[in-house]
Amino acid sequence: MFEFERPRGGERALLVHVKLALQPNQDDLAEFEELARSADVTNVETVIGSRQQPVAKTFIGKGKLEEVAELVERHEIEVVLFNHNLSPSQERNLETHLRCRVLDRTGLILDIFAQRAQSFEGKLQVELAQLKHLSTRLVRGWTHLERQKGGIGLRGPGETQLETDRRLLGKRIKYLNNRLAKVSRQRQQSRAARKKANIPMVSLVGYTNAGKSTLFNALTDSCAYTADQLFATLDPTLRKLEIDSKLSIILADTVGFIRHLPHDLVAAFRATLLETREADLILHVVDCADDNKHEKMQAVDQVLEEIGAAEVPQLVIYNKIDLPGYKARVDVDDQGKAFRVWLSAISHEGFDELLEVLQRRFSDDKIRYSLALQANEGEIRAFLYAEGAIDSENFENNGDITLNLSLSTALLNKLHRKYQLGNDRIVMLTDTLAGAA
């Protein structure tokens, strides 16, 4: 096998995009070029091809492989980026033939995340995702430890270099999982404290580069990092937003999503993304001028479903109406409930409309309800205690409990969503509570 010295950098890149007839839902070439730019590489040239299906050994055909090899040598390319997910063997075979480093789409996204991570938690999450990805791509670049021959000076240590690498990787992955479990417990404590204070949680989500951080900064007078590049935000940021003199919410800025977001990343960032799953409302930020906005919205919804946040109520935010042809407005459904707000994070157009929608959603006066629980439904009781919703409770001889509750509309919907309780179980007792907090 040909061996080469892997470059430390990867500044000069060649991009490869193949249109596959049997795979209609492919990643966009313009988005791939934007990913490469976000990774701080110089795109020397882009090679485009088409095939019915990938070649099992090298993904691309023999003729296209020779074309890529000639361009790599002519332009002194350091890394070849594929807008596809390559198998470990394909990646290894391509590196052997091209004599330079090869990265697939997943590897490129992981590299961008590694550059963006700033917090301790973010660095742990990215490293865990990278190691899980690397564990399937261990290449035996060393052979001197594999010589299981006899004779003085030729006896091996008892395991091959590949086995040693896998053992060390497994040990590091276990360590990272333990550290992230501790971070997850700390986040859970913070969420419990917010629930006890009865402060609504609103999470900003959206396709990467939709303008979430710009909107977050404008609403909360913060200075979270923003840039016209993919995955500018990686570490979650939480800030308090004053809706009016009586109502405050916690606004969370999260990592942007993308089509075919690597599963290892979703798994590694599960503790961070849990903020979205536990939110009372999701603000789904969309670039209203993007021709592919509906496909990107579907990609975001797919990730939300993957992390268990598909049932959290959404309010769609159509951002960037400062472009010609748009104006601030609120779209409502047949019941008069707002489901979409048009605004501009740059010019602040539509901010009053957004704050009014949030004020109506979260400042609903509380209503008294009665809920009968069986003895084995202690989890529901614990949830309501954590939310500060229980006014009093009566215990029956058989262990059943009748709870008297004070619930806002948002908390009532959350209770239905979390435990699938029917309307016949939660009975309204009185009219709106005056001045309930």
Side-chain angles (χ1 to χ4, degrees):
M1 178 186 291
F2 174 80
E3 296 181 10
F4 59 89
E5 190 69 26
R6 286 175 178 261
R8 293 182 180 275
E11 290 77 17
R12 296 177 61 80
L14 184 143
L15 276 55
V16 179
H17 176 78
V18 180
K19 300 176 182 177
L20 300 173
L22 299 182
Q23 296 182 15
N25 298 322
Q26 296 184 71
D27 296 304
D28 183 56
L29 176 58
E31 182 178 272
F32 179 51
E33 292 174 338
E34 185 65 23
L35 278 172
R37 185 179 74 85
S38 299
D40 295 329
V41 299
T42 301
N43 179 15
V44 177
E45 193 158 345
T46 300
V47 176
I48 301 175
S50 60
R51 290 189 63 84
Q52 285 291 109
Q53 59 185 6
V55 176
K57 189 175 182 180
T58 57
F59 193 89
I60 54 178
K62 184 176 180 181
K64 189 63 66 175
L65 182 62
E66 294 303 324
E67 178 187 346
V68 172
E70 191 274 330
L71 290 172
V72 166
E73 184 175 359
R74 185 200 309 171
H75 297 294
E76 298 181 350
I77 297 297
E78 294 175 289
V79 59
V80 177
L81 305 176
F82 276 74
N83 191 23
H84 313 274
N85 288 328
L86 303 175
S87 69
S89 61
Q90 288 172 339
E91 200 170 285
R92 183 164 60 250
N93 293 334
L94 286 167
E95 287 184 339
T96 301
H97 190 87
L98 300 177
R99 302 188 179 188
C100 72
R101 191 180 180 204
V102 174
L103 273 181
D104 65 357
R105 180 183 173 88
T106 295
L108 177 61
I109 293 175
L110 287 172
D111 184 78
I112 296 172
F113 270 61
Q115 294 181 44
R116 299 284 190 272
Q118 298 294 328
S119 70
F120 174 71
E121 179 188 5
K123 291 177 181 178
L124 287 179
Q125 291 168 324
V126 172
E127 184 182 356
L128 178 61
Q130 285 181 315
L131 291 182
K132 286 184 175 180
H133 183 68
L134 179 63
S135 63
T136 62
R137 285 164 162 74
L138 289 177
V139 180
R140 287 175 288 182
W142 300 85
T143 58
H144 64 285
L145 293 180
E146 295 179 335
R147 296 171 184 164
Q148 305 295 323
K149 299 179 181 179
I152 296 175
L154 294 178
R155 294 185 180 90
E159 64 180 3
T160 64
Q161 180 65 38
L162 184 59
E163 290 169 339
T164 302
D165 290 344
R166 282 177 175 163
R167 176 170 54 81
L168 295 175
L169 271 180
K171 189 175 181 180
R172 181 65 179 173
I173 288 174
K174 183 178 179 181
Y175 166 79
L176 292 173
N177 278 323
N178 290 336
R179 294 300 300 268
L180 285 173
K182 183 178 179 181
V183 172
S184 180
R185 289 193 295 269
Q186 293 170 343
R187 283 190 173 275
Q188 184 62 40
Q189 292 173 351
S190 298
R191 281 192 293 270
R194 289 197 298 268
K195 286 181 179 180
K196 186 171 290 188
N198 203 22
I199 302 178
M201 176 77 175
V202 177
S203 182
L204 288 170
V205 305
Y207 208 79
T208 181
N209 208 25
K212 297 182 301 300
S213 294
T214 304
L215 177 60
F216 178 83
N217 288 340
L219 287 172
T220 62
D221 293 325
S222 300
C223 54
Y225 176 71
T226 60
D228 184 19
Q229 58 188 13
L230 303 186
F231 300 117
T233 301
L234 188 56
D235 299 305
T237 307
L238 279 68
R239 293 289 185 273
K240 192 174 183 180
L241 172 61
E242 303 283 349
I243 302 298
D244 57 31
S245 59
K246 297 181 180 180
L247 176 64
S248 299
I249 66 172
I250 297 296
L251 192 63
D253 187 20
T254 61
V255 60
F257 299 153
I258 196 170
R259 278 173 291 196
H260 304 151
L261 192 65
H263 291 291
D264 288 337
L265 268 178
V266 176
F269 277 75
R270 193 164 296 278
T272 300
L273 296 174
L274 196 62
E275 299 286 2
T276 299
R277 196 177 79 185
E278 296 292 328
D280 298 290
L281 176 68
I282 288 176
L283 298 185
H284 185 165
V285 183
V286 180
D287 181 353
C288 68
D290 192 335
D291 294 334
N292 299 319
K293 58 179 175 288
H294 296 296
E295 290 82 357
K296 292 182 177 179
M297 290 174 70
Q298 290 176 358
V300 171
D301 289 335
Q302 184 176 350
V303 177
L304 290 175
E305 184 174 357
E306 190 172 346
I307 64 174
E311 299 301 320
V312 180
Q314 280 194 31
L315 176 64
V316 178
I317 306 297
Y318 268 14
N319 188 26
K320 305 185 181 182
I321 65 166
D322 48 288
L323 300 173
Y326 301 96
K327 63 178 182 179
R329 71 172 191 265
V330 177
D331 296 336
V332 298
D333 58 20
D334 295 337
Q335 286 76 39
K337 186 176 181 180
F339 67 91
R340 184 165 53 222
V341 178
W342 298 68
L343 56 75
S344 169
I346 298 294
S347 68
H348 298 192
E349 255 187 293
F351 275 25
D352 291 339
E353 288 84 348
L354 172 61
L355 294 177
E356 184 179 346
V357 170
L358 293 176
Q359 194 273 341
R360 285 202 305 267
R361 182 178 290 264
F362 289 115
S363 67
D364 288 344
D365 290 325
K366 294 183 179 180
I367 299 175
R368 294 189 187 276
Y369 293 90
S370 174
L371 172 62
L373 296 179
Q374 297 178 358
N376 61 351
E377 294 182 308
E379 182 183 348
I380 301 177
R381 178 172 175 266
F383 167 78
L384 291 168
Y385 256 114
E387 295 286 350
I390 298 179
D391 295 330
S392 62
E393 52 188 353
N394 299 314
F395 292 86
E396 306 295 337
N397 292 332
N398 62 355
D400 292 348
I401 310 171
T402 300
L403 303 178
N404 294 317
L405 309 173
S406 297
L407 301 175
S408 65
T409 302
L411 184 54
L412 178 63
N413 293 335
K414 189 173 183 179
L415 184 62
H416 282 303
R417 186 175 70 250
K418 190 175 181 68
Y419 297 104
Q420 286 80 48
L421 297 177
N423 291 325
D424 57 326
R425 294 195 59 187
I426 305 179
V427 181
M428 185 184 300
L429 294 179
T430 64
D431 294 331
T432 301
L433 283 167

